[in-house]
Amino acid sequence: MRPTIICHMVSSIDGRLLVDRWTPPAAGIDSDIVHRYYDQVAARFDADGWIVGRKTMEDYAGGTARTPRSCPDNLRAPHVADRKGRNVAVAIDPHGRLHYGSDNAGSDHIVTVIGEQVTDEYLAELHEDGVSYLFAGPDGHDLHRAMDILGGTFGIKTLLLEGGGTINGAFLKVGLIDEISLLVYPGIDGLAGVPSIFGYAGEPDEKPAAGQSLRLLTTETLEGGMVWLHYRVEESPSS
């Protein structure tokens, strides 16, 4: 069984994601409310880890491409490395462009989701770095298969989807988001085209959220005017 996927995000009131563009909090409100409440609310879910796309995971990937010292057998099966009891940091990196150098993203164990087209040398490099990996089909875009493996092979029960709009939109499009946890910061971006919570790159007539409805579970007003909205994603009555 695949993990429960909770999309956990913080945005301005116009749904934008670039924190450094937002208007500042009103006088007397601490500027650290964004990160403080984001982490506090995330902890409520007691998740086994988090998911991001390649661009976000770049901040944690400190390695460089290299020729591995050896090439283990059976590279083409999911590789479950030693988590040492840590949570997981799941990277969606279909083409295997990231080089890690270690298995740590912060204090969490890296699991990379890749396509079957990556080379054996790249897989051997992941082995040397202690990074776990699994295959999401030939091109690395079969998210349903990836989540099934994370649940069945890795034993993951709950994950927080904390990506940018592109990866969030990809999960939305294929119906893999079970809940949405959104912290709304009392500020504005205001510029058209700035990345937003969901940013599926489809055709103009596509509706990535088609067939899905949101049922409100919780609303909380937090310090400084932040608001937490928690929804369950359900099948639309009309679908």
Side-chain angles (χ1 to χ4, degrees), residues 50 52-61 89-91 98 100 105:
W50 42 282
V52 293
R54 177 183 60 82
K55 290 184 179 179
T56 302
M57 188 57 76
E58 281 179 351
D59 292 338
Y60 300 95
V90 180
L98 296 178
Y100 297 97

Side-chain angles (χ1 to χ4, degrees), residues 22-191:
W22 300 346
T23 54
I29 299 174
D30 290 340
S31 60
D32 69 343
I33 59 172
V34 172
H35 296 98
R36 178 155 49 91
Y37 277 113
Y38 185 83
D39 292 339
Q40 286 182 13
V41 172
R44 298 188 190 187
F45 294 110
D46 195 26
D48 299 304
W50 42 282
I51 312 172
V52 293
R54 177 183 60 82
K55 290 184 179 179
T56 302
M57 188 57 76
E58 281 179 351
D59 292 338
Y60 300 95
T64 57
R66 66 182 190 276
T67 300
R69 294 185 295 273
S70 62
C71 195
D73 295 329
N74 199 27
L75 288 169
R76 295 288 159 174
H79 174 56
V80 183
D82 187 1
R83 284 174 59 183
K84 301 181 177 69
R86 293 168 291 171
N87 281 353
V88 295
V90 180
I92 308 298
D93 182 22
H95 302 289
R97 292 176 178 167
L98 296 178
H99 301 274
Y100 297 97
S102 73
D103 74 330
N104 287 298
S107 59
D108 300 321
H109 173 67
I110 296 171
V111 180
T112 186
V113 176
I114 50 180
E116 295 167 358
Q117 82 281 7
V118 302
T119 65
D120 285 355
E121 289 75 15
Y122 181 73
L123 298 176
E125 178 186 313
L126 296 176
H127 269 260
E128 285 189 355
D129 290 341
V131 171
S132 296
Y133 62 79
L134 59 96
F135 299 99
D139 61 1
H141 294 293
D142 189 342
L143 294 176
H144 278 277
R145 178 177 177 182
M147 296 304 107
D148 286 343
I149 296 172
L150 282 171
T153 302
F154 288 78
I156 304 300
K157 302 298 184 184
T158 304
L159 287 170
L160 300 182
L161 175 61
E162 301 181 312
T166 299
I167 193 66
N168 291 348
F171 273 76
L172 178 72
K173 173 66 176 177
V174 296
L176 278 173
I177 297 177
D178 300 293
E179 299 177 19
I180 295 174
S181 168
L182 175 62
L183 286 157
V184 180
Y185 166 82
I188 302 170
D189 183 307
L191 184 66

Side-chain angles (χ1 to χ4, degrees), residues 190-203:
L191 184 66
V194 173
S196 59
I197 301 168
F198 296 103
Y200 179 75
E203 298 300 320

